[in-house]
Amino acid sequence: MSASIIVAFITGVIGPLLLLFIKNKLDKKTEKPDMVLETLKVSELIMTKLEHIKDEFKCDRVWITQFHNGGNFYPTGKSMAKFSIMYETVSAGITSVQSNFNNIPVNLFSRSINQLLENDAIEIPDFKDETVATYGLKYIAEDTGCKSGYLFAIKTIDGKFIGTLGLDYTKRKTKLDMESINHLQQHSASIGGVLMTHLNQ
């Protein structure tokens, strides 16, 4: 077989096949991840984390809210800031509150959200103690049977406030020590990292 036939064979047959192979490899690398699959993976990670928090701190309900766009104002068309409980785990016999907190306007909880924005945490060891600031959350505690509650801001690495981690104690009043509060703030930061990785995909 002559050299010219070999060159023609390589350029005419193998060349296009090689280009097709390289293109397929590059396409797979630039393919966007499957949205449903990624959401399920993140949900599993977050739920495992919430179960761990519930067991570690012996609370009855653990939940995460996330801020989101919730429609538009009339007549300006400006987006409304709202939040919803996106993840929740409860102990046996404890009522879920997730369906009660869906598309809630941020302004209805401005006192507590401002406190979290500025100080990263709200500690309420006893909702019935009049000397403890409850930031407008007392009536919610009464409705949900919460005796003690702890909330932590979930923020991105660059400080954007994207949600809240909440722990509810419904069976007994519970005062967490500073070591526990610090540990929960670390959990909150870790959750922020997982959520932001998901949101950026």
Side-chain angles (χ1 to χ4, degrees):
M1 190 179 285
S2 71
S4 60
I5 293 173
I6 293 170
V7 170
F9 177 76
I10 290 171
T11 55
V13 177
I14 297 178
L17 288 174
L18 188 60
L19 285 172
L20 190 61
F21 175 77
I22 292 168
K23 182 182 180 303
N24 284 340
K25 283 285 188 191
L26 289 173
D27 284 348
K28 282 183 183 173
K29 284 184 180 175
T30 57
E31 253 180 33
K32 285 194 170 185
D34 182 288
M35 184 176 75
V36 174
L37 185 62
E38 287 301 313
T39 300
L40 291 172
K41 282 182 184 175
V42 167
S43 182
E44 188 178 343
L45 278 170
I46 296 291
M47 291 308 294
T48 300
K49 188 107 175 142
L50 293 189
E51 287 290 342
H52 172 75
I53 290 169
K54 180 166 65 73
D55 294 343
E56 183 180 357
F57 296 96
K58 297 176 175 52
C59 53
D60 304 305
R61 188 188 297 122
V62 186
W63 44 266
I64 290 173
T65 64
Q66 284 182 267
F67 298 115
H68 56 84
N69 183 346
N72 305 94
F73 285 104
Y74 178 81
T76 62
K78 186 174 178 178
S79 292
M80 297 177 191
K82 293 190 177 182
F83 70 87
S84 297
I85 291 183
M86 304 302 286
Y87 304 94
E88 179 192 45
T89 184
V90 296
S91 296
I94 303 301
T95 307
S96 167
V97 296
Q98 187 167 15
S99 61
N100 299 342
F101 292 91
N102 191 24
N103 285 320
I104 307 296
V106 166
N107 61 292
L108 293 180
F109 290 86
S110 57
R111 286 180 62 206
S112 55
I113 290 172
N114 271 327
Q115 174 67 12
L116 288 168
L117 181 64
E118 292 171 12
N119 298 303
D120 293 331
I122 292 176
E123 303 168 41
I124 308 170
D126 182 359
F127 272 103
K128 291 191 174 175
D129 185 344
E130 297 293 334
T131 64
V132 175
T134 58
Y135 304 98
L137 298 173
K138 191 170 187 172
Y139 77 96
I140 297 294
E142 288 169 359
D143 287 349
T144 59
C146 184
K147 291 182 168 58
S148 303
Y150 295 86
L151 289 79
F152 301 88
I154 298 174
K155 294 184 178 179
T156 63
I157 292 172
D158 58 350
K160 288 193 178 96
F161 187 16
I162 60 169
T164 306
L165 167 66
L167 284 75
D168 293 345
Y169 291 85
T170 62
K171 294 175 184 168
R172 67 191 185 289
K173 291 181 287 189
T174 303
K175 182 168 177 58
L176 296 179
D177 59 23
M178 193 47 68
E179 184 181 347
S180 297
I181 297 296
N182 291 338
H183 195 181
L184 282 161
Q185 286 179 318
Q186 290 168 5
H187 280 305
S188 182
S190 169
I191 290 167
V194 171
L195 293 176
M196 273 315 294
T197 300
H198 174 60
L199 293 172
N200 286 332
Q201 286 179 341

